Amino acid sequence: MRYVFGPVPSRRLGYSLGVDIIPPKYCTYDCIYCQIGKTTDKDIRRKSFYDPGLVADEVAGTVASTRVDVITFSGSGEPTLNSDLGTMIRKVKEKVDTPVAVITNGSLLHEKDVRADLAEADVVLPSLDAVTEEVFRKVNRPQSFLDIGKIIEGLKEFRAGYAKPIWLEIMLIKNINDDPDELRRMVEIVSSLGVDRIQLNTVTRPPSEETAGRIEKDELKQICELFGPRCEVICSFEKTGEIPAQADWTEIILETLKRHPLTLADVVRTTSLSRFQARTRLKAMEKKGLVKSYVLGDDLFYVVA
Ligand code: SF4
């Protein structure tokens, strides 16, 4: 499989088939918490990367052979940098009925063609981690032409023209964007955006920079109350995976690890392997030098070696 990965248990969407339409690592940001690693190509120019028909064929083939709750365009960078995003979603929808989501950092929503492409999706999940320029630069390290005013305006314009659900993710990082003043301003601005859900997250996977520390769950819950009833904390997986018995586990686990570090529990949920089987397989892959593990907080994570 070249473009799809998973299905993986998504914290927000359930059992999600990822569609990676951006090569590593094209992004408009270089977030300190990024799980993929440092941005090598920081850009705001949209490009055509892959053949939309081939992407749609691969998605449809996978949906036909396994259970998928949602098809999620995301990937090894910012998906709206792919100028074929709208065409790809349309082609996928011609072939399957599964809902389509797009996870975006929201940085290009001020562009009309980006808003038009995203309008094809059934749900859009943008992020907003700061509302002041200083914090924006600290957390997201954006491409130099971007500023936080443009990002917030883009979110407002998108909301005005998109009637389907928008779920806004806010990644909170210890001592970086959890200052009471920043949070107070964020609550004000986010309340004015009219999004359907506000989803708080923190660093629970190995980040790009060690300075990106997690906020404890109790504190996150208190912050959540500031945002009101549409807000929730999203920090755990609940669904169990289901992949055909003949699947090549090593390949599937490796493809997923290329995009997300996983714990043993994540691998169990992503696959239909038992905990023992998953551990044995990961150990064998580690022994072969395919993956490596390390500890973050209370968890042991696996990444591609
Ligand atoms: S977290 Fe998302 S937006 Fe931030 S650098 Fe990584 S891919 Fe880009």
Side-chain angles (χ1 to χ4, degrees):
M1 289 187 294
R2 186 164 172 210
Y3 309 108
V4 306
F5 60 98
V8 292
S10 156
R11 276 173 279 191
R12 297 192 276 178
L13 295 160
Y15 200 39
S16 158
L17 181 69
V19 190
D20 186 351
I21 57 166
I22 291 291
K25 192 196 161 213
Y26 275 83
C27 194
T28 52
Y29 292 171
D30 183 17
C31 302
I32 59 171
Y33 60 80
C34 189
Q35 301 165 21
I36 304 164
K38 290 192 189 305
T39 298
T40 50
D41 294 87
K42 199 187 285 184
D43 208 341
I44 54 170
R45 288 167 300 182
R46 308 187 77 200
K47 285 181 205 154
S48 183
F49 291 101
Y50 308 122
D51 180 333
L54 292 180
V55 173
D57 285 348
E58 195 175 293
V59 171
T62 311
V63 169
S65 66
T66 189
R67 185 184 134 210
V68 174
D69 293 336
V70 63
I71 296 159
T72 306
F73 283 78
S74 59
S76 310
E78 170 49 34
T80 60
L81 280 173
N82 191 318
S83 55
D84 295 315
L85 174 62
T87 309
M88 285 177 182
I89 299 174
R90 276 193 300 277
K91 283 188 178 289
V92 164
K93 283 179 164 283
E94 280 164 18
K95 291 173 184 284
V96 295
D97 293 331
T98 314
V100 171
V102 180
I103 297 178
T104 168
N105 64 21
S107 59
L108 300 179
L109 288 172
H110 56 276
E111 294 187 15
K112 202 173 164 189
D113 56 339
V114 171
R115 294 198 299 276
D117 280 1
L118 288 173
E120 304 287 342
D122 299 293
V123 53
V124 175
L125 298 89
S127 53
L128 182 72
D129 306 324
V131 291
T132 57
E133 198 60 34
E134 188 193 343
V135 178
F136 177 49
R137 303 221 156 258
K138 242 189 237 175
V139 179
N140 302 116
R141 300 188 295 197
Q143 195 272 355
S144 58
F145 287 163
L146 296 170
D147 63 70
I148 194 62
K150 213 178 248 179
I151 308 301
I152 293 167
E153 274 317 301
L155 279 162
K156 287 183 179 169
E157 282 183 77
F158 183 59
R159 172 74 293 177
Y162 184 75
K164 291 174 267 184
I166 300 177
W167 299 352
L168 184 78
E169 178 175 8
I170 302 170
M171 178 66 86
L172 290 167
I173 302 155
K174 192 80 193 157
N175 298 331
I176 303 277
N177 61 353
D178 61 340
D179 170 87
D181 272 350
E182 183 73 13
L183 286 175
R184 188 179 43 75
R185 286 190 201 123
M186 194 177 277
V187 168
E188 267 174 38
I189 288 174
V190 168
S191 304
S192 74
L193 294 177
V195 296
D196 300 275
R197 291 191 195 178
I198 302 155
Q199 302 187 312
L200 302 188
N201 204 349
T202 191
V203 183
T204 55
R205 292 169 185 279
S208 177
E209 303 291 344
E210 282 178 9
T211 50
R214 79 169 65 176
I215 292 185
E216 294 310 322
K217 204 159 185 177
D218 284 349
E219 200 182 335
L220 268 185
K221 281 185 185 162
Q222 285 172 12
I223 297 172
C224 190
E225 284 172 16
L226 302 175
F227 285 92
R230 281 173 302 154
C231 188
E232 61 190 321
V233 173
I234 47 155
C235 287
S236 60
F237 296 148
E238 283 170 5
K239 297 220 171 184
T240 301
E242 192 180 287
I243 285 176
Q246 73 278 16
D248 179 339
W249 296 114
T250 302
E251 190 58 28
I252 286 172
I253 293 169
L254 276 176
E255 280 303 307
T256 306
L257 285 175
K258 277 182 198 166
R259 281 93 176 182
H260 301 277
L262 296 174
T263 62
L264 172 66
D266 293 338
V267 173
V268 169
R269 291 186 192 103
T270 307
T271 65
S272 56
L273 295 171
S274 68
R275 203 174 166 80
F276 173 76
Q277 288 169 322
R279 188 188 293 121
T280 310
R281 202 155 300 253
L282 282 164
K283 278 196 171 165
M285 290 166 74
E286 197 164 20
K287 210 169 170 186
K288 282 185 192 162
L290 296 172
V291 303
K292 58 185 180 183
S293 60
Y294 60 99
V295 174
L296 180 78
D298 295 334
D299 290 310
L300 179 70
F301 283 89
Y302 289 89
V303 293
V304 172

